[in-house]
Amino acid sequence: MLGALGEVFRAHGYEGASLALITEATGLGKGSLYHAFPGGKEQMAEEVLASIDAWFVREIYEPLRAAADPRQGIAEMFRGVDTYFHSGRRVCLIGVVALGSARDLFAERVKTYFVAWVDALAAALRKFGYAQAEARHLAEQVVLEIQGALVLARAVNDPKLFTRALERSQERLLEKQDGGVKQRRRPHIANR
Amino acid sequence: MLGALGEVFRAHGYEGASLALITEATGLGKGSLYHAFPGGKEQMAEEVLASIDAWFVREIYEPLRAAADPRQGIAEMFRGVDTYFHSGRRVCLIGVVALGSARDLFAERVKTYFVAWVDALAAALRKFGYAQAEARHLAEQVVLEIQGALVLARAVNDPKLFTRALERSQERLLEKQDGGVKQRRRPHIANR
DNA sequence: GTCTATAAAGCGATAGAC
DNA sequence: GTCTATCGCTTTATAGAC
């Protein structure tokens, strides 16, 4: 249900997703929709964004933090991201909203989605051996690359560009075996 | 004129930019607008996109190709980009369109904008000393980073994130002095 | 809960006076 | 070239039958 709604917003943006398109995609009449979402379209989008946010927290951010081996946790993040975005054929609704004019309506949700992502990844990178400041910059960099790859892949209509970007991003992150020596903050005791 | 139009599309997206908003921003009534753009809103957006494309070709891509010193040309590209995007406070209209539902209408323009950018940057990087394949990948990577940085900076409402990303991107590109030795294809004879 | 009918407003676009 | 008035149509949202 929220899934079908999300696909409509993804395909047409917040303003472009008319109730006519929504009824068509969900198979529900306006009456049913307004029964489920008294707040109308804005509430629909809000709940869709919330469910996406929750999905990422549950499936990506928390495993990333909980992973005993940060290297493996990060690898799983990239796998999860590749799956979620259908290897570059699916766009990021949060990113779409962030760029659109509906951004102000959902500013808080959009912000926390990205902040939580950067935080979780930075935590994993610290565990991997990077110093705090570098971990933050790298995490920011990776999230930004994913968003940019989605934009560019869609713009030139080449999903493989996304997959390639993910691979390069992951390689660059993990190329230091078990953390860079000079950036290392403290010995990491997991996986032993 | 096209500039004012562009800002409306940037702020509200293609579908969100109503003729009411456009008349307000341009100070022209609908009559005047349809006199100038018989094709209506679609033509307005098309001409705006074309003018942006032309601006980048003239101010960014061509100087990048023409620069005798590729290092300097690339540095000027980053400066131009930072200026154009108001140091992260201004969004990329082509990227906005690429993600939105109007993408199909302007698919050709959107694609050539990015392809031309990657091509021009890859040419400069080859001149700088990178091998062809690596130059292409790096160019793609840089353009993608710029788009991603715009998305993320806007999402978390922190323009400095954009500036930081540009700096890191440029540093990584130019860290090999006068081109990486092993990637070098042939001696470069410019600047002598 | 789901539907149809309908309201009120906004949309892109056109016509025609000036 | 710029304006106002207006046309159809679509929009979000509501009302009320079932």
Side-chain angles (χ1 to χ4, degrees), chain B residues 17-19 30 34 40-41:
Chain B
S18 68
L19 290 189
K30 297 184 192 180
Y34 275 87
K41 207 169 106 168

Side-chain angles (χ1 to χ4, degrees), chain A residues 42-191:
Chain A
E42 184 174 337
Q43 187 183 351
M44 297 180 208
E46 167 62 32
E47 292 199 17
V48 166
L49 293 181
S51 81
I52 292 173
D53 194 13
W55 189 92
F56 270 82
V57 168
R58 181 170 17 94
E59 303 289 332
I60 310 273
Y61 308 163
E62 281 178 359
L64 194 51
R65 288 197 129 99
D69 178 8
R71 176 179 221 103
Q72 197 177 327
I74 289 166
E76 269 168 33
M77 180 198 86
F78 279 103
R79 260 196 299 278
V81 165
D82 186 60
T83 303
Y84 182 81
F85 292 116
H86 297 174
S87 298
R89 279 178 296 273
R90 193 196 213 190
V91 104
C92 176
L93 178 55
I94 320 270
V96 170
V97 169
L99 285 188
S101 58
R103 178 190 160 274
D104 296 344
L105 276 177
F106 310 108
E108 197 58 31
R109 277 243 172 268
V110 167
K111 182 169 183 171
T112 58
Y113 169 82
F114 285 115
V115 167
W117 195 343
V118 171
D119 283 353
L121 182 53
L125 288 172
R126 275 203 301 275
K127 217 154 81 175
F128 183 63
Y130 287 102
Q132 180 147 16
E134 196 180 359
R136 279 212 66 80
H137 283 154
L138 273 173
E140 191 175 284
Q141 175 73 18
V142 166
V143 171
L144 151 183
E145 283 172 1
I146 292 169
Q147 291 299 310
L150 287 170
V151 172
L152 198 53
R154 182 145 181 102
V156 303
N157 198 23
D158 177 16
K160 281 185 184 163
L161 191 152
F162 176 72
T163 307
R164 243 183 290 147
L166 277 195
E167 282 165 4
R168 267 182 282 146
S169 197
Q170 180 171 356
E171 271 174 30
R172 197 167 348 108
L173 265 195
L174 301 180
E175 64 192 2
K176 307 184 193 293
Q177 296 109 315
D178 197 32
V181 174
K182 64 179 190 296
Q183 293 93 356
R184 197 165 187 76
R185 284 196 319 159
R186 51 182 164 78
H188 174 50
I189 54 166
N191 242 9

Side-chain angles (χ1 to χ4, degrees), chain B residues 64-90:
Chain B
L64 193 52
R65 289 197 129 97
D69 178 8
R71 175 179 223 101
Q72 198 177 326
I74 290 167
E76 268 167 34
M77 179 198 85
F78 279 104
R79 261 196 298 278
V81 166
D82 186 60
T83 302
Y84 182 81
F85 292 115
H86 295 175
S87 298
R89 279 177 297 273
R90 195 195 211 190

Side-chain angles (χ1 to χ4, degrees), chain A residues 18-19 30 34 41:
Chain A
S18 69
L19 290 189
K30 297 183 193 177
Y34 274 88
K41 206 169 106 168

Side-chain angles (χ1 to χ4, degrees), chain B residues 102-117:
Chain B
R103 179 188 158 275
D104 297 343
L105 275 175
F106 310 108
E108 197 58 30
R109 278 243 172 268
V110 166
K111 181 169 186 171
T112 58
Y113 168 83
F114 285 115
V115 167
W117 195 343

